[in-house]
Amino acid sequence: MVEAHSNDLLIGVLALQGDFKEHINMLVDSGADAIEVRTYNELESVDGLIIPGGESTTIARLLIAYDLMDLLRFKINLSFPVWGTCAGAILLADSAPDLDRPTIGGIPMTIKRNAFGTQVDSFETDLQFLDLEGGDYHAVFIRAPLITDIAADVEVAACLSNGEIVAVINKNLMATCFHPEITEDTRLHRKFIELVTNYKIKKSSKV
Ligand code: GLN
C-alpha cells in the first residue's frame, strides 16, 4: 500500500457527535492532514470525510440542524469520498428501516441497526478485508449494524465467518459496521486516504 502524502490533501471527520477525535488521531498517525467538520465551509474545504460511530439518530438530526445534509448529499453525488463507520455506515445506507428519520444515503444497501442484540452487542473478531495487505483485520463491533442487502454493483469488502456482510465499498463510498478508530491498526485509514487521493487525482484531471 502506498504511503499517504498529505501536503495537498485534507480529510475531514464529521464532529457533531460520536468518536471523531479518535478518527482524527488515526488519520494524523497515517500521515494525513485532518480537521473536525461542523460547518458548511469546513465541509467545503475537505477532500474526503469520515462519519464516525456514535448514535445515528442524533447525527442525522444534527446534520440538518447544522445545515450540512443537503451539501453532503450534493457532494456525494459528485463523487466526494466518504467513509461511514458504524453509525456512519447506517447514515450512508439508502435504506435503514429502523432509523426513524432519513439517512444521507449514497450506497444502495439496506442496513439493520443494533443487529447483534443486547447480549452480544459488543464483540471482536478477525476479518479478511478486501485488498488489505498484512493479513486479517481485527475488528471491534459495538452495538453494530449489519448490512442485510446490497445492490449488484456494491463491492463486499468484509464478511463475518457466517457470511454476513459488515463492510462494503461503492465507488467513492466506504462503509464499515465496526470501529476502526479504536484499534492501533491504521490500515483502513490508509486505505481511505488512498481512495481520497485517487478521487482527487481524477477530479483534477477533469478540470
Ligand atoms: N447503535 C448505534 C446506532 O444505531 C450505532 C453504534 C455505534 O456507532 N457504535 O446508531
Side-chain angles (χ1 to χ4, degrees):
M1 201 171 287
V2 293
E3 272 298 305
H5 287 295
S6 54
N7 293 347
D8 50 356
L9 199 72
L10 184 63
I11 303 198
V13 182
L14 188 69
L16 303 178
Q17 191 262 337
D19 39 5
F20 51 87
K21 287 220 169 354
E22 291 82 350
H23 273 296
I24 297 266
N25 293 341
M26 293 294 268
L27 287 167
V28 171
D29 287 350
S30 307
D33 290 332
I35 59 163
E36 295 177 4
V37 168
R38 289 186 194 82
T39 67
Y40 196 95
N41 286 344
E42 284 163 353
L43 182 55
E44 279 287 40
S45 73
V46 293
D47 299 302
L49 184 76
I50 295 179
I51 305 177
E55 203 54 53
S56 50
T57 47
T58 308
I59 299 174
R61 178 172 55 77
L62 292 176
L63 274 169
I64 292 171
Y66 281 70
D67 205 16
L68 297 176
M69 186 65 114
D70 290 343
L71 178 61
L72 197 45
R73 286 181 176 147
F74 179 77
K75 287 172 80 71
I76 284 174
N77 262 327
L78 297 176
S79 295
F80 178 64
V82 182
W83 176 18
T85 67
C86 204
I90 296 168
L91 290 167
L92 284 183
D94 281 351
S95 167
D98 43 15
L99 187 71
D100 62 352
R101 58 199 75 201
T103 62
I104 304 161
I107 304 182
M109 66 176 182
T110 303
I111 200 159
K112 182 176 166 45
R113 296 178 66 207
N114 302 317
F116 298 95
T118 48
Q119 276 181 342
V120 275
D121 56 8
S122 297
F123 64 97
E124 302 185 16
T125 190
D126 287 337
L127 301 174
Q128 283 178 353
F129 200 99
L130 181 73
D131 295 335
L132 196 68
E133 283 169 25
D136 284 357
Y137 183 86
H138 189 72
V140 181
F141 291 77
I142 304 167
R143 295 189 308 114
L146 188 64
I147 296 162
T148 54
D149 194 24
I150 56 171
D153 56 346
V154 175
E155 227 175 344
V156 174
C159 289
L160 297 176
S161 55
N162 64 5
E164 289 177 323
I165 303 169
V166 289
V168 294
I169 297 175
N170 185 44
K171 302 177 195 88
N172 53 315
L173 304 175
M174 197 162 121
T176 55
C177 294
F178 49 88
H179 279 263
E181 74 288 5
I182 56 174
T183 66
E184 304 274 283
D185 191 343
T186 56
R187 284 180 295 162
L188 288 186
H189 287 80
R190 286 169 188 273
K191 193 177 177 67
F192 183 62
I193 293 165
E194 221 178 284
L195 185 89
V196 176
T197 308
N198 291 339
Y199 270 91
K200 187 155 184 171
I201 294 168
K202 263 193 219 163
K203 201 168 124 191
S204 60
S205 65
K206 269 192 212 154
V207 182

